[in-house]
Amino acid sequence: FLVFIRNVKSAHYGTFPNMSRRVVRQSKFRHVFGQAVRNDQCYDDIRVSRVTWDSSFCAVNPKFVAIIIEASGGGAFLVLPLHKTGRIDKVYPTVCGHTGPVLDIEWCPHNDHVIASGSEDCTVMVWQIPENGLETPLSEPVVVLEGHSKRVGIVCWHPTTRNVLLSAGCDNQIIIWNVGTGEAMINLDDMHPDVIFSVSWSRNGSLLCTACKDKRVRVIDPRKKKIVAEKDKAHEGARPMRAIFLADGNIFTTGFSRMSERQLALWKSDNMDEPICVQEMDTSNGVLLPFYDPDTNIVYLCGKGDSSIRYFEITEEAPFVHYLNTFSTKEPQRGMGYMPKRGLDVNKCEIARFYKLHERKCEPIIMTVPRKSDLFQDDLYPDTAGPDPALEAEEWFTGKNGGPILISLKDGYASTKNRDLKVVKKNILESKPAPKAEHIPIVQKHAPQSSVKMEDKLEEVLREFKSLRDRVILQDRRIARLEEQVSKVAM
Ligand SMILES: *[C@@H]1O[C@H](CO)[C@@H](O)[C@H](O)[C@H]1NC(C)=O
């Protein structure tokens, strides 16, 4: 494949028709070896979502793989324990509380049983997954975060603080929530004039960078509600961009040139006037989703609709972004999950694991660095971000910062049982104006009695609501079973 490198700073131009012949530098990652797992290690018979939104549709952690699926009349995603490979039954329980399609999901980095979802129904929901996965459909989130007026396409947990979650909606707003209290703490509603394509936290979560349909990449200090740097036409093409923070504070972007070639670029986050480098890749039209490993400084690019994963090592020497290799298969990817480092098998020298979504299955892809020795390869595994948060939500909102708390993978990673997520809501009845009198019968002379009545009434309505919801879930399952029987008869 053709690569054109333009290094603006040193005016270092060149075209390299065959990168693999031009080995100019040593890298232990030059011979990363990618391999799809055996068929029986895939997750089969999954109806991957067809919603038109360029998110990854898949989220992975050391315990579960979650996949956004097609669901009639609502939105749902599957949560499978990693070992639950093979054919997934049609009636396998889903997370099904949204009333519109789910657009994005992300596991909490500090609790492997907590996952957030954003949906076309304009809400964000946070879910607690039982220890061994779902045995019945889960329609009751721990908390519903309401504040967006249009669909919510991005959810993104703070990397180092407990219970801080960001969401971005097609109302062009970013909201940062304290999940522990269910409150919208920061609202960035006047920074983006158009749809937000991507949001990424910096390594310690003090800054954000965003890519927007107005072709700008912005670096934002969310607590000061200030744009600290921005670049207009970071990529000149009209198709979607992505921007992510790297560990050293630089920003890596993907996008399209004016001639619709796919590009990648590297920028300083404090001054984005000129790129550190820009490289043109090819003329495919799938959005390039970047996945980043801060420990090895490798970026993996998965094009939506491509059938390959390309990876690059980023260093401080020109051309800064060094092409390493491409892993290709025959079938295009509908989405992709990326395992956090602590979920990898260090005994196999695994340095990355992807979960590639096909139309009807999810296929793990394992990247390894071949080594002869059986010993722990500490040069491949510098200490990596562990599950413990550095800060509590209140600390971050009041201005503290903290980098990730690192752990060694020397003896492998054993996940422990996390405490359950608890949401302690402030008494909303105290802060909101009282409901209008005509809705609730109030006995004027006996105020205390009336509030008791109100509570009773509320409880009754809630009970009724729950039973209706349960009935809908049961009907859904019944319909799915019937559909299956009908399809068998039809064959
Ligand atoms: C957090 O990162 C910013 C830059 O991204 C840096 O200026 C700051 O010193 C860091 N703070 C801590 C406590 O790590």
Side-chain angles (χ1 to χ4, degrees), residues 94-129:
T94 61
V95 180
C96 56
H98 282 288
T99 57
V102 177
L103 300 177
D104 195 22
I105 47 178
E106 194 179 89
W107 289 104
C108 173
H110 309 119
N111 187 331
D112 287 341
H113 292 263
V114 170
I115 187 167
S117 56
S119 159
E120 268 192 30
D121 69 12
C122 306
T123 69
V124 175
M125 293 184 179
V126 180
W127 310 88
Q128 173 95 39
I129 305 299

Side-chain angles (χ1 to χ4, degrees), residues 25 29 121 130 156 183 325 342 375 423 455 488:
R25 47 180 284 284
F29 303 114
D121 69 12
C156 191
E183 287 173 290
N325 214 336
R342 63 191 165 90
L375 298 174
V423 177
E455 255 173 44
K488 271 185 200 146

Side-chain angles (χ1 to χ4, degrees), residues 1 35 38 67 71 90 124 167 176 183 190 196 230 245 259 353 390 416 441 446-447:
F1 90 101
Q35 190 180 28
R38 290 197 321 263
I67 301 166
K90 258 210 179 106
V124 175
S167 61
I176 303 176
E183 287 173 290
D190 57 356
I196 300 162
E230 64 186 317
F245 255 112
M259 309 295 292
R353 194 189 308 158
T416 50
H446 308 282

Side-chain angles (χ1 to χ4, degrees), residues 445-474:
K445 282 179 194 159
H446 308 282
Q449 207 184 337
S450 79
S451 76
V452 170
K453 266 193 189 161
M454 220 168 88
E455 255 173 44
D456 284 348
K457 183 101 189 157
L458 197 65
E459 229 169 77
E460 191 189 310
V461 171
L462 276 176
R463 256 202 310 276
E464 203 169 321
F465 177 70
K466 268 197 195 134
S467 98
L468 277 171
R469 184 147 66 176
D470 289 345
R471 194 138 39 138
V472 170
I473 291 166
L474 288 175

